[in-house]
């Protein structure tokens, strides 16, 4: 049986610090995985669940969106994937008795880790206006309550419908349809906070806001540049792909402010060499760049390519690209001192990377939130595209753009229409299929939703999964905004902080997880997801649900839609809840690439969505070509005595879900309130290793944002920078400090001062 959740809250303890690791996975990963799974499940349940993860007859891992190989391994999961599965398949339960024993005010004092350890939610719960405790409520009563609040609004735009990345394609399509039938495009999602900058830059330059490569491309690449990404913790299965590429002859360059164990050496736990040998050294060149210096690095590379004879693929540029002349004229000059200051790199390292580029025909650039959460993130990614276009590395096998998305199906949700700024073509197709006129005015993204709640312009907040309060920037402002709502609703599998920071009334609607059997009145159902590389495949859980009357996300959306829109709405919501094939038939007629959806998704491994730049070197941009862009060099302004903070994940964490209190690869155990500082910077600031400090962010609005009592850890961070875990440090990210164009919070560029803790 699973161990009982902790009664006390160990997340409040001070952490212990040891030396960082220089290799990832191996036997320690197996041991850690089994221990954490055993904490949540019986041995038989562990075996029955893990053997179905990422299998063609099983369920998609509820963790990251890394794609599956054509022939999955018998254990096609990573350490963090196993943690995600164990958290969801846990035998612990959060019942009405738990809520009766714990007032909401008490729960609000607990850490997110403690809340999540209580187990799966079993019953719809209502926190009524003025009440101190959640109490059980029936499904019909819950839907009637939400419907009454929605119909009482002065405008549908006074409601917001948030989505996390784990929602299935079928549920996401039904969800956006319901919101638009109601009359609003207020569909913020977690992409707004993570990869919106990627979508903005890629749509402008290539015409498709997604990556252009497949796993096969990675295996064929000559050079792979991994920038602003820590796959060892955030996408561990990527290490297997990098290992395979390396053995095929690829060179790998890591660009990161911190050394990351997984990119140093990978001990593949699925091979004898990884278990008992030394593993595989992955990185050939490590560029320890300063925070925010990636734009300067790629500008320097592009300058060197433009000034090197025969380095530019002139034929590709002439046939497929626009804006080259303007770009080349601006890039002809390089401010070397400014470049070196921005990157923190010696010029010799930039030249070494340049030589690797010249010796490589097929190049892939991978990136994650280290590039997307700066004020100049969109220009940075546009400059990455410039770099690839110069040598024709888009639409060539083994080459292209590879933004590595986070949560499983976060990309699929956007494909299904979870977007506050939908295209005219999508709305036209949706309106034609369902015989209505969708709203055309743009809705609110995540940051604008918080502003609207703060200003009283959104009265009902509905979240399909996720942990909005913990994931959002400027925690105090977000919590105050949430409390101004009339009603907050969260569809969730487990308890989290968003359930205890509520509007005047609050509902928790428990739902099936990826690991659970989904059986409607018609029989067993399955859902589909899209991975980070545009592959769509099926997912079907096999475990008995935690409670007999638990509803799927599709059923929750369908029943709510019927309650809110009334019997006169012609959409067959009841049929959708019974038969997900009917939803897929509608998707096939609305969304390009999903024709014959029901047949294709039943094929082993699923199918690839079309991607014009990759498939045919055609570019659906405003110019009809791939667009070079001009991106002036910018750098964050950090006053003397201050550091530039990036928020990041620990190894025992995925997004806001904290599985444990260790960060094994960085040598941190038993706690999370640490700030990693370069020893030279710490010496200049008079901060001994082990000193406790408050982190105070500085922003032009003059508001003090403080995260109290963090242990200073001397760590090999790039000079001028610091790092600490989110969500604990989200309080430091100003709501109005966002990336140009994408409006993504600048969580990797927070100016802070470190004050000794009183």
């Amino acid at each position: 049986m699973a161990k009982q959740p902790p009664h006390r809250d160990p997340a409040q303890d001070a952490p212990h610090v040891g030396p960082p690791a220089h290799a990832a996975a191996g036997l320690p990963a197996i041991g850690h995985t089994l221990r954490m799974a055993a904490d949540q499940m019986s041995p038989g349940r562990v075996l029955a669940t893990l053997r179905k993860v990422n299998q063609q007859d099983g369920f998609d891992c509820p963790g990251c969106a890394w794609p599956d190989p054509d022939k999955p391994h018998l254990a096609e999961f990573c350490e963090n994937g196993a943690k995600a599965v164990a958290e969801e398949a846990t035998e612990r339960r959060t019942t009405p008795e738990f809520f009766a024993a714990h007032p909401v005010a008490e729960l609000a004092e607990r850490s997110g880790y403690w809340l999540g350890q209580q187990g799966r939610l079993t019953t719809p719960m209502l926190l009524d206006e003025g009440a101190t405790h959640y109490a059980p409520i029936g499904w019909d009563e819950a839907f009637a309550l939400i419907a009454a609040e929605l119909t009482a609004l002065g405008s549908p735009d006074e409601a917001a419908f948030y989505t996390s990345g784990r929602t299935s394609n079928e549920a996401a399509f039904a969800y956006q349809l319901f919101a638009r039938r109601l009359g609003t495009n207020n569909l913020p999602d977690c992409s707004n906070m993570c990869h919106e900058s990627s979508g903005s830059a890629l749509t402008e330059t290539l015409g498709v806001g997604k990556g252009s490569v497949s796993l096969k491309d990675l295996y064929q690449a000559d050079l792979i540049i991994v920038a602003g990404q820590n796959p060892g913790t955030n996408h561990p299965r990527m290490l297997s792909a990098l290992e395979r590429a390396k053995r095929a002859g690829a060179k790998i360059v890591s660009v990161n402010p911190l050394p990351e164990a997984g990119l140093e050496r990978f001990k593949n736990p699925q091979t004898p060499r990884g278990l008992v040998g030394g593993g595989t050294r992955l990185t050939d060149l490590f560029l320890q760049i300063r925070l925010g210096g990636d734009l300067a690095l790629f500008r320097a590379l592009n300058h060197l390519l433009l000034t090197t004879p025969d380095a530019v693929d002139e034929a590709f540029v002439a046939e497929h690209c626009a804006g080259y002349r303007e770009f080349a004229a601006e890039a002809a000059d390089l401010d070397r001192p400014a470049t070196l200051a921005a990157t923190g790199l010696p010029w010799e390292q930039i030249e070494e990377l340049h030589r690797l580029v010249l010796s490589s025909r097929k190049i892939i650039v991978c990136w994650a939130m280290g590039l997307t959460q700066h004020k100049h993130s969109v220009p940075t990614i546009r400059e990455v595209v410039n770099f690839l276009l110069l040598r024709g590395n888009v639409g060539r096998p083994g080459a292209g753009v590879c933004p590595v998305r986070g949560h499983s199906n976060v990309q699929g949700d956007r494909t299904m229409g979870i977007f506050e700024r939908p295209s005219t073509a999508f709305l036209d197709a949706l309106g034609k299929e369902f015989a209505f006129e969708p709203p055309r005015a743009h809705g609110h993204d995540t940051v604008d939703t918080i502003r609207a709640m703060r200003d009283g312009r959104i009265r009902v907040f509905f979240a399909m999964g996720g942990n909005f309060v913990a994931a959002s920037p400027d925690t105090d402002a977000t919590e105050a905004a949430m409390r101004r709502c009339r009603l907050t609703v969260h569809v969730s599998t487990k308890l989290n902080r968003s359930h205890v920071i509520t509007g005047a009334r609050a509902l928790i609607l428990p739902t099936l997880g990826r690991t659970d059997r989904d059986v409607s009145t018609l029989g067993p159902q399955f859902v589909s997801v899209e991975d980070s590389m545009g592959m769509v495949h099926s997912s079907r859980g096999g475990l008995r649900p935690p409670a007999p009357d638990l509803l799927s996300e599709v059923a929750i959306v369908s029943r709510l839609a019927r309650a809110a829109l009334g019997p006169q709405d012609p959409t067959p919501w009841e049929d959708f809840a019974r038969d997900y094939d009917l939803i897929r038939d509608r998707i096939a007629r609305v969304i390009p690439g999903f024709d014959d959806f029901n047949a294709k998704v039943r094929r082993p491994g699923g199918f690839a969505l079309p991607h014009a730049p990759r498939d045919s070197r055609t570019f659906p941009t405003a110019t009809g070509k791939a667009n070079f862009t001009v991106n002036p060099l910018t750098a964050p302004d950090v006053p003397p005595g201050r550091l530039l903070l990036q928020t990041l994940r620990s190894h025992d964490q995925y997004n806001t879900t904290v599985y444990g209190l260790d960060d094994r690869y960085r040598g941190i155990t038993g706690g999370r309130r640490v700030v990693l500082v370069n020893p030279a910077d710490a010496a200049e600031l008079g901060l001994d290793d082990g000193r406790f400090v408050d982190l105070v962010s500085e922003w032009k609005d003059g508001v003090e944002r403080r995260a109290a009592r963090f242990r200073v850890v001397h760590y090999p961070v790039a000079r001028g920078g610091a790092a600490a875990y989110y969500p604990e440090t989200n309080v430091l990210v100003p709501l109005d400090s966002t990336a140009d164009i994408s409006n993504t919070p600048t969580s990797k560029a927070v100016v802070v001062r470190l004050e000794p803790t009183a």
Side-chain angles (χ1 to χ4, degrees):
M1 290 295 294
K3 296 180 182 178
Q4 292 299 308
H7 176 69
R8 56 181 291 278
D9 195 340
Q12 310 299 335
D13 294 347
H16 303 284
V17 179
H22 296 283
L27 283 171
I30 295 176
H32 196 59
T33 296
L34 294 177
R35 284 194 300 273
M36 296 198 79
D39 280 347
Q40 303 284 348
M41 299 182 283
S42 64
R45 191 176 178 91
V46 171
L47 180 62
T49 307
L50 292 183
R51 70 183 183 88
K52 288 293 187 180
V53 184
N54 296 323
Q55 300 299 320
Q56 293 177 354
D57 63 344
F59 61 91
D60 193 65
C61 176
C64 80
W66 188 253
D68 301 330
D70 292 337
K71 296 180 180 179
H73 191 278
L74 290 175
E76 190 57 54
F77 56 86
C78 65
E79 178 184 347
N80 269 9
K83 295 173 190 174
V85 170
E87 285 275 311
E88 182 175 285
T90 180
E91 294 175 281
R92 300 173 183 173
R93 300 290 180 261
T94 305
T95 63
E97 290 74 21
F98 170 88
F99 288 103
H102 297 281
V104 173
E106 175 200 319
L107 295 176
E109 296 300 315
R110 297 286 195 167
S111 69
Y113 168 71
W114 187 91
L115 293 173
Q117 289 297 305
Q118 304 312 304
R120 287 288 297 274
L121 295 159
T122 63
T123 309
M125 304 297 296
L126 168 66
L127 180 68
D128 215 343
E129 191 164 7
T132 59
H133 292 68
Y134 275 100
I137 184 174
W139 282 107
D140 288 340
E141 292 81 3
F143 293 135
L145 187 157
I146 301 168
E149 289 282 0
L150 290 174
T151 55
L153 296 174
S155 162
D157 289 327
E158 293 179 2
F161 297 91
Y162 176 75
T163 318
S164 90
R166 201 172 62 180
T167 305
S168 69
N169 287 330
E170 292 75 14
F173 185 81
Y175 189 55
Q176 63 82 27
L177 174 63
F178 163 57
R180 293 185 167 112
R181 296 275 343 196
L182 191 68
T184 186
N185 281 315
N186 286 344
L187 285 156
D189 72 338
C190 55
S191 284
N192 298 146
M193 294 184 282
C194 300
H195 262 286
E196 200 67 61
S197 297
S198 299
S200 298
L202 295 177
T203 299
E204 177 185 355
T205 56
L206 301 180
V208 178
K210 302 180 183 182
S212 66
V213 302
S214 66
L215 274 179
K216 184 182 294 185
D217 290 314
L218 276 176
Y219 304 152
Q220 297 174 358
D222 299 323
L223 175 64
I224 301 170
I225 300 175
V226 183
Q229 184 192 359
N230 175 17
T233 285
N234 300 332
H235 313 92
R237 285 196 300 149
M238 181 179 176
L239 298 180
S240 299
L242 292 178
E243 180 184 49
R244 181 169 170 179
K246 182 82 175 197
R247 292 187 178 174
K251 298 291 186 182
I252 297 174
V253 175
S254 302
V255 184
N256 205 302
L258 286 77
E260 301 292 3
L263 286 172
E264 288 187 54
R265 185 172 294 275
F266 174 46
K267 296 184 177 182
N268 191 335
Q270 297 175 345
T271 66
R273 176 185 173 88
L275 288 175
V276 298
T280 302
R281 180 174 173 265
L282 292 181
T283 294
D284 296 281
L285 175 63
F286 172 45
L287 302 183
Q288 188 166 22
I289 199 162
R290 284 181 174 164
L291 275 170
D294 304 273
L295 173 58
L297 173 63
F298 281 96
R299 276 179 54 90
L301 272 180
N302 291 338
H303 169 80
L304 291 173
L305 290 174
L306 287 165
T307 54
T308 301
D310 301 321
V312 176
D313 187 336
E314 303 283 358
F316 173 84
V317 169
E319 182 178 357
H320 296 291
C321 299
Y324 176 72
R325 181 177 300 175
E326 295 81 1
F327 156 74
E330 199 273 342
D333 295 323
L334 181 74
D335 186 336
R336 185 179 293 194
T339 298
L340 297 180
T343 63
L345 300 172
W347 185 251
E348 292 74 19
Q349 280 198 331
I350 298 175
E351 288 182 321
E352 185 177 356
L353 176 55
H354 176 232
R355 287 192 293 271
L356 284 172
V357 170
L358 292 178
S359 65
S360 304
R361 183 173 182 271
K362 298 172 291 183
I363 302 175
I364 292 173
V365 181
C366 305
W367 70 87
M369 291 190 292
L371 261 62
T372 64
Q373 293 183 320
H374 297 267
K375 182 173 176 56
H376 57 278
S377 285
V378 174
T380 298
I381 297 165
R382 291 192 308 217
E383 199 66 24
V384 170
V385 175
N386 288 342
F387 165 71
L388 291 167
L389 293 178
L390 278 175
R391 291 177 60 78
N393 278 307
V394 175
R396 171 186 294 163
V401 293
C402 184
V404 183
R405 305 301 298 266
H407 226 155
S408 171
N409 211 44
V410 63
Q411 186 161 292
D413 287 351
R414 180 59 58 86
T415 303
M416 291 297 108
I418 302 294
F419 191 33
E420 75 282 355
R421 293 177 282 119
S423 69
T424 299
F426 172 81
L427 292 178
D428 288 346
L430 188 72
K432 179 180 178 182
E433 177 63 28
F434 291 95
F436 80 113
E437 178 54 39
R440 301 284 170 163
H442 288 173
H444 296 310
D445 64 11
T446 294
V447 167
D448 285 337
T449 293
I450 298 168
R451 293 167 178 157
M453 290 191 295
R454 174 198 64 194
D455 299 339
R457 292 181 285 117
I458 285 182
R459 310 298 292 157
V460 174
F461 178 85
F462 192 105
M464 183 63 68
N467 185 356
F468 186 86
V469 165
S472 297
D474 213 340
T475 306
D476 292 343
T478 296
E479 292 187 356
M482 191 70 74
R483 289 188 170 105
R484 291 208 65 191
C485 292
R486 278 287 310 152
L487 174 67
T488 52
V489 185
H490 295 274
V491 178
S492 305
T493 57
K494 300 185 74 177
L495 194 63
N496 64 49
R497 183 155 182 81
S498 293
H499 303 138
V500 298
I501 306 298
T502 72
R505 291 198 288 179
L507 281 165
I508 302 173
L509 304 181
T511 190
L512 297 178
R514 288 274 179 85
T515 58
D516 299 325
R517 283 197 302 268
D518 186 350
V519 182
S520 74
T521 56
L522 190 66
Q525 301 296 313
F526 71 89
V527 296
S528 65
V529 297
E530 178 186 347
D531 66 34
S532 191
M533 293 181 177
M535 292 292 298
V536 178
H537 60 274
S538 63
S539 176
R540 41 176 65 78
L543 296 179
R544 178 183 298 175
D549 63 344
L550 223 55
L551 296 182
S552 70
E553 290 178 330
V554 171
I556 289 172
V557 172
S558 298
R559 289 179 61 173
L560 172 59
R562 179 57 72 204
L565 300 175
Q568 70 276 10
D569 184 79
T571 310
W573 298 109
E574 294 81 2
D575 295 337
F576 286 173
R578 284 193 295 267
D579 186 355
Y580 300 174
D581 277 359
L582 299 179
I583 302 176
R584 286 187 281 269
D585 286 339
R586 299 301 189 102
I587 293 171
R589 294 196 288 268
V590 171
I591 301 176
F594 284 86
D595 52 289
D596 205 15
F597 189 9
N598 271 306
K600 290 194 294 189
V601 79
R602 285 173 163 85
R603 298 173 187 166
F607 63 98
L609 291 176
H611 190 288
R614 177 196 65 208
D615 300 337
S616 60
R617 281 192 163 178
T618 55
F619 300 92
T621 63
T623 63
K625 294 190 174 186
N627 292 318
F628 279 97
T629 53
V630 174
N631 304 293
L633 178 60
T634 60
D637 181 19
V638 184
R642 307 300 189 259
L643 297 174
L644 197 64
L645 177 77
Q646 64 166 326
T647 70
L648 43 67
R649 299 172 182 159
S650 77
H651 191 61
D652 276 354
Q653 172 183 0
Y654 197 80
N655 292 345
T656 58
T657 303
V658 178
Y659 305 132
L661 300 178
D662 297 344
D663 191 351
R664 192 170 73 249
Y665 295 158
R666 297 192 180 106
I668 313 295
T669 58
R672 293 177 49 81
R673 298 185 79 82
V674 296
V675 56
L676 311 181
V677 182
N678 185 286
D681 288 328
E684 289 181 2
L685 296 172
L687 298 173
D688 295 333
D689 188 88
R691 182 80 174 268
F692 281 87
V693 297
D694 291 358
L695 309 181
V696 185
S697 71
E698 297 184 352
W699 176 245
K700 60 187 179 182
D701 61 6
V703 174
E704 179 179 285
R705 298 172 175 87
R706 181 179 295 267
R709 194 170 170 77
F710 279 66
R711 185 196 190 280
V712 173
V713 176
H714 289 186
Y715 199 85
V717 184
R719 288 297 306 271
Y725 305 132
Y726 70 82
E728 290 86 350
T729 49
N730 284 353
V731 66
L732 302 172
V733 184
L735 182 64
D736 294 324
S737 179
T738 60
D740 295 337
I741 302 173
S742 67
N743 207 32
T744 295
T746 58
S747 301
K748 299 295 183 286
V750 184
V751 176
V752 295
R753 67 178 186 270
L754 277 58
E755 294 184 352
T757 296

